Amino acid sequence: MRPKRILILGGTGLAREAAAALLGRGHHVMSSLAGVTSQPHLPEGDVRIGGFGGFEGLTKYLQSETFDLVVDATHAFAAQISRHAAAAARSTDTELIRLQSLAWTALPPDHWTDVADIDAAIASLGLGQKIAVTVGRKDVAKFFARVDLSGVARMIEPPETVVPPQWHVVLERPPFMFESETAFLRAHGAAVLVCKNAGGMRPAKLDAAAALKLPVVMIARPEKPVVNVVGSVEELLGSLAQAR
Ligand code: NAP
C-alpha cells in the first residue's frame, strides 16, 4: 500500500495508539493537539500544537499540507473540533474517518442516571448534595456556580474559575486503579459521582462507584457530524488496507 499522509486530531490515548500503529505501517503521521494541557502525553511521530483558527484555519491547513486522510481521534466530548474537521474535510475533498470508542453502558449493579448534558446533570442533583465531579476543567464552573453543592472535582489542569471554599480540587491524570478510586470517593464523602460518558475501556471509577453503591450521573456524548466512524485502531488499519 502506498504510504499515506495522515493528520490525526488527537488529545486522547486512542489518538496516540493510532499514531504509533500508523507509523508502524509506514504512513506519514502528523498529530495535532489543542495545547490545553501544559504537559501533554506526546504521541510518536510529528506533532503540532495549538488551535488551527476555526474552520477557516483548518481548511487552509488541509489545503497547504495536502493530507490523504484526516483521522478525528479527539475526545467524544470535543464537539467543536469534530464539526470543524467534518466541514473542512468536505470543503477540501479530504477523506475523514472518526476514531471513537463505544460509549460505556451500565451493568448490574451500576446505578446510573443518564442525562443529556452538563446542565441536565446539574439539574438532576438534589439540594445540598455532596458530589464527586470528573467532567474536566472547562465544565466544572457550572457545578461551582450552584452554591448549595459541595464536594470534590478532579481534573488534570487547575480550573479557570475561583474554587468555592466548600469544594476540593484534585489535580491528577489517569490511569486510575480500583483501590485508589474507591479511596478517592470515600475520602471526600461523595454521595454521587458525576462523569462524562467518554467511552472506551470501562474506568475504575465506575467499578468503585458500583462497589460503594454510589449513584452515578452519566452525561451523554454530544452530537457530532455524521462521518465514517471506526471503533478501534485495528478497525482503522483494516479500513486503510481495504482502501489501498
Ligand atoms: P473542542 O471544544 O471541540 O475544541 C475547541 C477548540 O480547540 C477547537 O475549535 C480548536 O481550536 C481547538 N482544538 C481542539 N482539539 C484540537 C486538536 N486536536 N488540534 C488542534 N486544535 C484543537 O475541544 P475541547 O473539548 O476543548 O478539547 C480540546 C482537546 O482536548 C481535544 O483535542 C480533545 O481530544 C482533548 N480532550 C477533551 C476532553 C473533553 O472532555 N472535552 C477530554 C480529554 C481530552 P481552533 O478552532 O482554533 O482550531
Side-chain angles (χ1 to χ4, degrees):
M1 192 199 327
R2 178 180 72 84
K4 285 183 185 278
R5 284 173 52 75
I6 301 175
L7 173 66
I8 300 181
L9 300 171
T12 60
L14 205 52
R16 290 192 293 279
E17 252 183 67
L22 291 167
L23 284 165
R25 300 285 169 111
H27 297 292
H28 305 288
V29 176
M30 170 66 76
S31 292
S32 175
L33 305 181
V36 288
T37 46
S38 51
Q39 289 180 309
H41 286 309
L42 291 177
E44 285 178 39
D46 292 333
V47 178
R48 64 162 300 287
I49 298 183
F52 295 96
F55 156 73
E56 290 83 6
L58 181 52
T59 302
K60 279 191 193 137
Y61 183 73
L62 294 184
Q63 277 163 345
S64 65
E65 298 293 325
T66 59
F67 291 102
D68 301 304
L69 170 68
V70 176
V71 177
D72 176 4
T74 56
H75 191 270
F77 282 74
Q80 182 161 296
I81 187 68
S82 293
R83 276 199 305 276
H84 293 172
R90 205 178 315 115
S91 78
T92 57
D93 207 14
T94 311
E95 187 185 356
L96 171 70
I97 298 180
R98 184 174 310 128
L99 171 58
Q100 187 167 283
S101 45
L102 285 178
W104 304 317
T105 49
L107 303 167
D110 287 340
H111 173 35
W112 294 7
T113 303
D114 291 309
V115 295
D117 53 27
I118 294 280
D119 290 335
I122 293 166
S124 77
L125 296 167
L127 196 69
Q129 258 187 330
K130 198 160 188 188
I131 59 179
V133 196
T134 60
V135 296
R137 69 199 283 262
K138 262 198 339 191
D139 291 315
V140 78
K142 286 187 170 177
F143 291 86
F144 290 168
R146 227 186 88 177
V147 293
D148 62 300
L149 297 176
S150 63
V152 60
R154 183 172 68 195
M155 61 202 83
I156 297 175
E157 302 272 323
E160 286 155 6
T161 47
V162 175
V163 181
Q166 72 274 23
W167 281 91
H168 293 279
V169 168
V170 173
L171 301 180
E172 271 179 331
R173 69 193 314 159
F176 300 109
M177 301 298 142
F178 174 77
E179 290 73 19
S180 60
E181 291 296 68
T182 310
F184 165 74
L185 293 171
R186 270 213 187 104
H188 294 281
V192 184
L193 168 66
V194 182
C195 59
K196 291 173 169 176
N197 197 330
M201 226 166 69
R202 184 177 154 104
K205 64 186 170 189
L206 297 179
D207 292 333
L212 295 171
K213 298 187 171 39
L214 209 66
V216 174
V217 174
M218 185 61 74
I219 303 169
R221 298 158 165 216
E223 293 270 321
K224 289 201 177 194
V226 177
V227 299
N228 285 336
V229 179
V230 292
S232 66
V233 173
E234 293 67 37
E235 220 184 306
L236 173 66
L237 295 177
S239 74
L240 292 193
Q242 270 176 7
R244 84 183 42 222

